[in-house]
Structure formats: structure tokens, C-alpha cells
Amino acid sequence: MNQYLDVHPGVAQAIAQGRPVVALESTIISHGMPYPQNVETALAVEKIIRDNGAVPATIAILGGRLKAGLSAEEIEYLGKKGQEVTKASRRDLSTLVAWGADGATTVATTMMIAHMAGIKIFATGGIGGVHRGAETTMDISADLEELGQTDVMVVCAGAKAILDLPLTLEYLETHGVPVLGYQTKELPAFYTRTSGLGVDYQVDSPEELANILKTHHQLGLKGGILVTNPIPEKYSMDADAINAVIDQAIAQAEAEGIHGKETTPFLLAKVKEITGGDSLEANIQLVFNNARLAARTAEAYCKL
Ligand code: PSU
Ligand code: MN
């Protein structure tokens, strides 16, 4: 066990007994949604995972400790501090831990810490990817590199059109990351169910997802598996409307010279601002939907 890792007792017990556990990220709490919806959503996601028979492990860095599983008080603390907490991707880990600081974990660091703790499945909203204009900015999320090297199944709603979706798929292909569509042949685009781009394989049940993950482990393959689960029809947004909003947000980021790790939070905040509450409700519902699928897949995995 890593000397800097604290696995919450309930999570440690579930892992030891071979019961299902689902990891959750914390950047979505502190940088992805406003307070208090962020805390309410984080607690509701944990409840959905419990209701579906698995144990939730929200992951973060607190006082320099890598935490796999947080208390409700710790989730409240992260949500209230919001953007003051450092957004922690792979390159931030050593310094934050050495300094005894806090960090909100992105998909990349959540995968790393989940893997250290022995958690195999992780539910989130959307992953980072190749940004539009990356051919000159080289802005490619460390989430993609992590998917290429850390063996965790990530359940998401695809990737937002703030990214270059075709290039994101190319990058995942190069790094050997399988992109599975849950009951769909098309890559979902977060707020909408379709993107016009194909996934590698359509998979129709949690049992089938679990079987693929198990086989991945038995083959001894490195790297993760990306499961893309479309937002429920009822909550999906109008594609033209949301894409116009995204274009506006990107233009504003360019005008303000936003770059580096600020880009994704800036774009997410702008989209929310421009759409009023609509995009936030969609965002919350797709996370719930991913949590359900991840919990059912974790349960199916434990039965194999
Ligand atoms: N995309 C979303 N919602 C999010 C993020 C991405 O639709 O909350 C967050 C995740 O934590 C993701 C991170 O890991 O942003 C990616 O940031 P960057 O592009 O700087 O790697
Ligand atoms: Mn980036």
C-alpha cells in the first residue's frame, strides 16, 4: 500500500471482501459545478451507487493525503472551497503531497489513486481530451495519457464538443484505449446522445462490460477502458443550441487568452453561464446515469 494513501474503512472492507466499489472524481465537485449543487450532486451520486449495490469512493487529496473515499464533511469542505482547491492532474501530485496541500482530482489523478487502492471502475461526467486548435496549442488533456497507461474502466457521457472529438478518438486509438458505446454505436457528446462519430464497439449490458474488463485484466493489458454512456433522452439538449453556446465560450476564451489548466474550467463555467441552469441540470443527470451503470458493472464484475 502506498504510504501516502488513505483508503476509507468502508471502502477498504469492500475491496477486501471482493464487493463492488466505484471511484468518483473531485474536480467535478470543486471546479465543475457551483456550490451548493456540487455538494448535493456529489452526495446524491454516492447514494445512487449505494442504492445500486456498490460502495462509492470519492477521491481527492486532503492535507497531502491521497484519499480513496471521503466523509460527507470532506465532500462539503471541497465543495465550499470550490475553485480555491488546486485542480490536480498527474503533474501536480508530488508537489501537493510534499506540501501537505489539498487537491481536487481530475480524471487522470482519480484513475491513479483508484488504481493504487485497487478500485477497478470509476464514474464521471466527461473526460478531458484533445482541445480544438491542439495542432498549434498542443493542449491535450493528461486524462488521455492516463487512459493509455492506468488500468481502470472509466464510465463517462462521452466528451463535450468544447473538445476536438475526432482528434480525441484518434489519440485514444493511438494509445490503445478501447472506446465502448453503451447501447450505442455513436460517441455521445455529453449534453447530446450523438456526435456523428463511431465508437469501437457497442456493448449492451453491465455483464458484458464486466466480462470485457475481466478479460482485459486476464490478458494483463495496461491502460484503461473508456465506456461512453449517452445522457438519458429526457435530459439531452438541442445539439445546435449547445454547439452555438460552446462556440461562443471558445471565442471568449481565445479573446481572454485563457490557456493551460484554466481552459477546461473556463469553458465549462462559460457554457453554464450562457445556458442559465439548463446545462447544469443535464450535467447532473448524466453523472447520475453514469454512476448507475458503473455500480451495476462493478457488481457484475464481482460475480465473475
Ligand atoms: N469535462 C467535463 N467536465 C469536467 C471535466 C472535464 O465535461 O468536470 C474536468 C474533469 O475533472 C477532467 C478535467 O478530468 O476537467 C480535464 O481537465 P484538463 O482538460 O485540463 O486536463
Ligand atoms: Mn489542457
Side-chain angles (χ1 to χ4, degrees):
M1 188 69 82
N2 191 295
Q3 63 173 315
Y4 293 107
L5 177 66
D6 292 334
V7 182
H8 194 274
V11 173
Q13 197 182 34
I15 294 170
Q17 296 173 347
R19 286 189 288 119
V21 178
V22 174
L24 298 161
E25 65 155 303
S26 47
T27 291
I28 201 175
I29 304 175
S30 56
H31 292 69
M33 291 181 192
Y35 180 81
Q37 285 99 330
N38 55 0
V39 172
E40 288 161 14
T41 303
L43 296 174
V45 172
E46 289 209 338
K47 181 171 187 305
I48 286 171
I49 287 175
R50 282 195 195 95
D51 290 346
N52 282 274
V55 175
T58 301
I59 288 179
I61 305 162
L62 292 176
R65 302 295 302 175
L66 309 178
K67 298 278 185 187
L70 300 183
S71 65
E73 292 71 31
E74 288 168 328
I75 288 176
E76 171 75 22
Y77 167 83
L78 279 175
K80 236 181 192 157
K81 272 195 119 182
Q83 310 260 353
E84 274 174 51
V85 181
T86 303
K87 175 183 158 192
S89 197
R90 176 176 267 270
R91 68 169 180 178
D92 303 286
L93 268 194
S94 316
T95 309
L96 293 178
V97 169
W99 287 357
D102 297 333
T105 53
T106 62
V107 167
T109 34
T110 303
M111 288 180 74
M112 291 171 69
I113 296 169
H115 190 257
M116 282 179 197
I119 302 169
K120 300 177 175 71
I121 300 180
F122 158 27
T124 186
I127 59 160
V130 179
H131 281 264
R132 297 196 204 168
E135 57 275 25
T136 49
T137 64
M138 292 182 62
D139 189 350
I140 300 172
S141 175
D143 291 354
L144 299 186
E145 285 288 319
E146 208 59 49
L147 279 160
Q149 64 179 321
T150 299
D151 179 10
V152 172
M153 175 176 266
V154 179
V155 180
C156 70
K160 280 196 181 81
I162 61 169
L163 301 169
D164 186 320
L165 298 180
L167 287 189
T168 299
L169 285 181
E170 291 293 348
Y171 200 92
L172 289 167
E173 181 187 349
T174 302
H175 287 77
V177 180
V179 179
L180 308 179
Y182 185 67
Q183 298 181 345
T184 179
K185 286 183 170 36
E186 260 193 70
L187 179 75
F190 199 85
Y191 297 119
T192 57
R193 293 174 58 84
T194 56
S195 63
L197 298 163
V199 292
D200 298 331
Y201 300 98
Q202 173 172 338
V203 178
D204 290 329
S205 67
E207 290 71 26
E208 235 182 301
L209 287 173
N211 186 30
I212 293 169
L213 182 61
K214 186 84 179 181
T215 309
H216 186 78
H217 292 150
Q218 286 168 337
L219 285 167
L221 296 179
K222 263 186 48 172
I225 294 179
L226 190 64
V227 178
T228 63
N229 184 27
I231 183 171
E233 192 87 58
K234 189 172 159 199
Y235 301 104
S236 72
M237 298 181 76
D238 179 74
D240 292 339
I242 193 70
N243 287 331
V245 168
I246 286 169
D247 288 342
Q248 200 182 328
I250 289 175
Q252 215 159 331
E254 272 168 22
E256 291 183 34
I258 305 292
H259 63 269
K261 69 193 286 187
E262 307 307 331
T263 303
T264 299
F266 180 92
L267 293 174
L268 302 184
K270 276 288 162 224
V271 168
K272 243 158 260 158
E273 190 186 302
I274 304 169
T275 59
D278 293 1
S279 68
L280 184 59
E281 179 60 15
N283 197 342
I284 291 170
Q285 292 297 332
L286 66 84
V287 174
F288 289 171
N289 192 45
N290 296 340
R292 269 188 296 270
L293 180 58
R296 290 171 57 205
T297 304
E299 191 180 32
Y301 186 94
C302 289
K303 288 186 180 146
L304 287 174

